[in-house]
Amino acid sequence: MTGDAPPLVIILGPTGVGKTGLAIELAEGLGGEIVGADSRQIYRYMDIGTAKPSPEQQAQVPHHLIDLVNPDYNLSLAEYQDAASGAINEIHGRRAIPFLVGGSGQYISAVEEGWSIPRVPPDLELRAELEGYARANSPAALHERLCQVDPVAAERIHPNNARRVIRALEVQILTGQAISDLQRKRPPPYRILTLGLRLPRDVLYPRVDARVDAMIAAGLVDEVSRLLEMGYDRALPSMSGLGYLEIAGHLLDGAPLDAAIERAKFSTHAFIRRQDVWFRGHDNGILWHNVKDADASDLARTLRDWLQRGD
């Protein structure tokens, strides 16, 4: 969308690549505000393991959609999309520039591509029934059920991703409509410029490994311990985040801390690979920049020129 449509700047990239620092520098220089697109930073009490912007960073530039819900609240994609759209509209109302920043591909794509997301509340009894079917017959058998009623969704969802398979079946059973039909895209009411940050994996992996070590030094074990003491079960989606699941295993199962740290590092590497796959599949004109070569002042000029052109 062009012309008089309000602007939206998106900054995306894999975990640990340096999105937060660059986004703050650009937003501060351009009178912008940051809308988080991180599926773990939405949770309260989870600061260290999510690499949440520090209080000092959040004081530099207004931040939105951080500390949005408690760890036992399962925020749906539709709820995130609504919250992000609301924040973007409020920022436009202040004549500021919204920066959508993060590495959660679904969050970014839902906003950037204008996903139409089924507003179908979860049916816990039905989900339990479907989960039981998967346990009794295998995840592949559950996926085959989805193939019969929504082959388009089944093609998109890996058979081992039981959570998404169950959601697709849940929507179809409750509404009689395929989730793929309900997920049609509508162009968002913004003109969008998307900046992507990247690093070669032989550079990025050691960088995120060092970040995991820094999180441990900063008190990640104590943070996970407090969450467990507060009653947040490790089976919660929030506790499946990088580092949290592994450290919970150390605290609850007696797994050696060194082994838990190594697993957290390998899990982070695997997550980076999944992020890369998502961004390649949803590249709507991303302007990619190698972080080693990216210059913040050059990027700021690019953004100013784009904002002035109005294209």
Side-chain angles (χ1 to χ4, degrees):
M1 184 171 288
T2 58
D4 296 330
L8 172 64
V9 177
I10 299 175
I11 299 179
L12 56 78
T15 188
V17 80
K19 298 181 294 294
T20 297
L22 179 63
I24 289 173
E25 185 173 354
L26 291 174
E28 190 173 30
L30 293 168
E33 301 184 23
I34 292 174
V35 180
D38 188 295
S39 63
R40 292 299 179 266
Q41 292 181 0
I42 61 171
Y43 294 114
R44 303 183 185 105
Y45 320 124
M46 303 180 76
D47 302 332
I48 298 171
T50 64
K52 197 173 290 179
S54 68
E56 293 76 19
Q57 289 175 315
Q58 294 187 47
Q60 281 182 262
V61 172
H63 282 68
H64 307 266
L65 307 195
I66 291 177
D67 294 333
L68 193 61
V69 297
N70 286 340
D72 57 355
Y73 187 86
N74 188 14
L75 189 79
S76 71
L77 184 59
E79 289 176 305
Y80 171 79
Q81 186 188 46
D82 289 344
S85 297
I88 291 168
N89 292 339
E90 289 177 6
I91 295 167
H92 284 147
R94 290 188 284 274
R95 298 187 178 279
I97 308 299
F99 284 70
L100 185 68
V101 180
S104 295
Q106 277 200 327
Y107 277 14
I108 293 169
S109 296
V111 175
E112 181 184 18
E113 299 175 358
W115 288 9
S116 179
I117 303 169
R119 263 59 175 178
V120 180
D123 185 317
L124 299 183
E125 185 175 342
L126 176 58
R127 288 187 176 187
E129 176 187 330
L130 294 170
E131 288 167 358
Y133 182 90
R135 285 194 299 270
N137 298 278
S138 80
L142 186 70
H143 188 264
E144 179 57 31
R145 285 182 59 176
L146 181 60
C147 289
Q148 299 302 317
V149 297
D150 190 351
V152 175
E155 178 68 23
R156 295 172 180 168
I157 302 173
H158 193 281
N160 290 337
N161 194 333
R163 182 181 61 82
R164 288 189 63 200
V165 172
I166 287 171
R167 176 56 175 168
L169 283 169
E170 178 184 47
V171 170
Q172 193 279 329
I173 291 168
L174 294 177
T175 68
Q177 293 180 276
I179 194 171
S180 56
D181 290 336
L182 297 173
Q183 288 178 328
R184 294 193 180 95
K185 300 172 183 178
R186 301 173 182 172
Y190 320 119
R191 55 187 182 93
I192 297 173
L193 180 68
T194 304
L195 301 177
L197 304 183
R198 58 170 36 139
L199 277 172
R201 287 181 185 171
D202 62 350
V203 176
L204 183 56
Y205 285 174
R207 181 166 170 161
V208 296
D209 288 351
R211 189 168 79 157
V212 172
D213 291 333
M215 289 174 175
I216 296 296
L220 179 58
V221 175
D222 289 339
E223 180 170 273
V224 177
S225 179
R226 283 194 300 273
L227 288 162
L228 294 170
E229 290 172 1
M230 293 169 71
Y232 295 116
D233 192 278
R234 63 171 159 179
L236 290 168
S238 60
M239 295 290 279
S240 70
L242 299 172
Y244 290 93
L245 188 63
E246 293 82 5
I247 297 302
H250 161 67
L251 293 170
L252 297 175
D253 303 331
L257 180 58
D258 287 348
I261 293 171
E262 284 304 303
R263 283 197 298 275
K265 292 176 180 178
F266 290 140
S267 296
T268 304
H269 299 175
F271 180 62
I272 287 170
R273 292 193 292 272
R274 293 196 299 274
Q275 287 177 303
D276 286 344
V277 170
W278 183 278
F279 294 139
R280 285 199 302 271
H282 295 263
D283 190 333
N284 300 298
I286 302 171
L287 302 178
W288 286 104
H289 296 270
N290 189 308
V291 172
K292 293 190 299 182
D293 304 323
D295 182 86
S297 58
D298 288 342
L299 292 175
R301 281 193 292 272
T302 297
L303 289 178
R304 287 194 186 94
D305 290 344
W306 176 75
L307 289 166
Q308 290 172 358
R309 290 198 309 269
D311 56 7

